[in-house]
Amino acid sequence: MRRYGILLHISSLPSAYGIGDMGPAAHAFAAGLAEAGASVWQFLPLNPTSTFIGNSPYSSASAFAGNPLFISPDLLVSDGYLSRADLETSLRCLPGCGFGPEIGRVDYELVSRHREHILSAAFERNCRRLAQDAAFQAFCRDHDAWVHDHALFVSLKEAHGGVSWVEWPDGLKLRDAEALAQWEDKASMAITREKFIQFLFFSQWMRLRAACNAKGISLLADVPIYVTHDSADVWTNPDYFNLDADMRPITVAGVPPDYFSETGQRWGNPVYCWDAMRRDGFAWWKKRLAHVLCLADAARLDHFRGFCGYWE
C-alpha cells in the first residue's frame, strides 16, 4: 500500500503566540491533510528544548517529557485552566509579546517567557484541586516510570541556577535516598507544578492524536539515538552511560568523515554502556520506545546505523 504524508514540526504551525502548538491550527492542519488524501504526519521530537543548546529538539533534558512551548494557550482557556483575561494579561505584561500573525523564525526566549507566565498562572488557578483531580492523578500513575524523576530534575535545575547536575551537591548528584526525600519535602510545589505542566502537554497531545487517527492520519515520531548528558535520563540511569567516577562522560558520540560530512561530526552525547543495558534486557530502551508508541503510530529511529555500529 502506497501512502504519502508531510513532515511538519509542531513549532512550524501558524500561531498567534509565537510558536506552533497543539491547538486549533494543529487540528486544522490534520483536517487539511485528510482532505488532500495524505495519511501520514511526520514530526520532529516533542521533547523539551533549551535556549542554552540551540533549541534543538534533538538535544533535550528528557527523552520522555513533552515540550511546554507546544501547549496551546487557546486550549488552556477552552478547557478552563485559564481565563481569556489571563491570556490577554500575559500578552500585555510581557515586553514584546504582541506576537501577531506574521510568519518568521521563533523567538524562543520570548516564547519561553510567555509560556512560563501562562503556565504559572494555570498552575496557581488549579493547584489546590489537583489532589482530587482524577485525570491528573491517573496521569501521574500511568507515567510514574519517568514523570516524578523528570519533575525532580527540573526543580533541582531551577534551584541550582540551571547548572549541570554534575555540579549539584553529592547527595543530590548521586541520588542519595535521604537527600532526595528531603528535597521532595522542600520542593513539593515545584515538583507538582512540573507534573501538572506535563499533564497539560500529554492531555492536549492525546486529543490531537485521537483527532488525527479519526481522520485516517497516522503520526510518525522521531527518536534520537542519543540523549543529552545534562538530562534526567542520564542523572536517573548513570550506569547505562560511559561515565567516570565524577559522572562526566569518558567518551562521547559522533561519526567519522563520510559522504555527508568530510570532517565527521562530534555530537558530544554520552555513549551507552550496551553491556549494562543488555544485562537487564534493554529495559530502558523498551520503556522509551513503548512511550513513543503511546504518542504516535510509528517511529523513525534517528541514526539507526548507530545501533549496528557506532563511533565514540
Side-chain angles (χ1 to χ4, degrees):
M1 178 182 178
R2 297 186 65 183
R3 310 170 68 189
Y4 85 91
I6 296 290
L7 167 58
L8 182 84
H9 195 38
I10 305 302
S11 61
S12 295
L13 289 162
S15 172
Y17 306 104
I19 190 172
D21 59 49
M22 299 178 286
H27 287 260
F29 180 71
L33 285 177
E35 185 177 350
S39 60
V40 179
W41 180 355
Q42 182 179 1
F43 50 89
L44 306 185
L46 298 170
N47 312 104
T49 57
S50 168
T51 55
F52 295 106
I53 44 179
N55 304 295
S56 169
Y58 295 89
S59 298
S60 179
S62 173
F64 292 82
N67 192 336
L69 301 185
F70 297 156
I71 294 174
S72 165
D74 288 327
L75 291 186
L76 291 180
V77 173
S78 63
D79 291 343
Y81 292 110
L82 282 179
S83 69
R84 181 59 62 179
D86 290 329
L87 191 51
E88 293 172 354
T89 298
S90 72
L91 294 173
R92 288 197 304 270
C93 71
L94 290 177
C97 273
F99 292 118
E102 67 274 5
I103 298 173
R105 297 176 67 85
V106 174
D107 184 336
Y108 278 93
E109 290 190 5
L110 182 59
V111 168
S112 296
R113 292 207 309 273
H114 179 252
R115 290 301 193 277
E116 174 69 22
H117 191 274
I118 64 170
L119 292 173
S120 293
F123 180 67
E124 287 297 320
R125 272 183 169 268
N126 296 277
C127 62
R128 293 168 186 81
R129 67 176 183 85
L130 292 179
Q132 289 77 44
D133 188 316
F136 174 72
Q137 294 300 326
F139 167 78
C140 292
R141 288 194 303 273
D142 292 344
H143 295 270
D144 181 63
W146 66 269
V147 74
H148 186 69
D149 281 320
H150 166 74
L152 273 175
F153 184 83
V154 170
S155 67
L156 283 163
K157 284 279 286 186
E158 291 176 350
H160 290 87
V163 301
S164 171
W165 63 273
V166 296
E167 305 294 341
W168 298 348
D170 280 352
L172 297 171
K173 177 175 77 172
L174 302 177
R175 294 179 57 84
D176 174 76
E178 184 177 350
L180 288 181
Q182 290 176 355
W183 179 255
E184 289 180 33
D185 184 57
K186 178 181 178 180
S188 60
M189 286 296 283
I191 293 167
T192 302
R193 178 184 180 276
E194 182 58 28
K195 290 181 180 180
F196 175 69
I197 290 172
Q198 291 302 312
F199 164 69
L200 295 176
F201 175 93
F202 281 86
S203 298
Q204 292 191 4
W205 179 260
M206 296 309 288
R207 188 186 316 176
L208 178 60
R209 181 186 179 184
C212 289
N213 289 167
K215 293 177 174 64
I217 304 296
S218 297
L219 296 177
L220 177 57
D222 209 42
V223 183
I225 181 172
Y226 289 115
V227 297
T228 303
H229 176 245
D230 190 16
S231 66
D233 309 294
V234 182
W235 176 61
T236 307
N237 303 285
D239 291 343
Y240 288 157
F241 300 90
N242 193 18
L243 308 178
D244 63 19
D246 199 35
M247 297 297 168
R248 299 178 187 276
I250 297 172
T251 56
V252 297
V255 290
D258 58 15
Y259 181 80
F260 180 76
S261 172
E262 292 184 359
T263 58
Q265 302 172 69
R266 182 189 185 279
W267 295 335
N269 308 77
V271 177
Y272 295 112
C273 288
W274 290 108
D275 287 341
M277 291 186 150
R278 185 178 292 109
R279 282 195 289 273
D280 67 5
F282 302 97
W284 183 86
W285 269 105
K286 290 176 181 177
K287 180 173 73 173
R288 184 183 182 191
L289 293 177
H291 178 73
V292 171
L293 293 176
C294 284
L295 302 178
D297 300 290
R300 167 187 176 270
L301 297 175
D302 184 48
H303 215 70
F304 179 79
R305 176 71 180 86
F307 288 96
C308 308
Y310 65 94
W311 180 90
E312 63 182 351

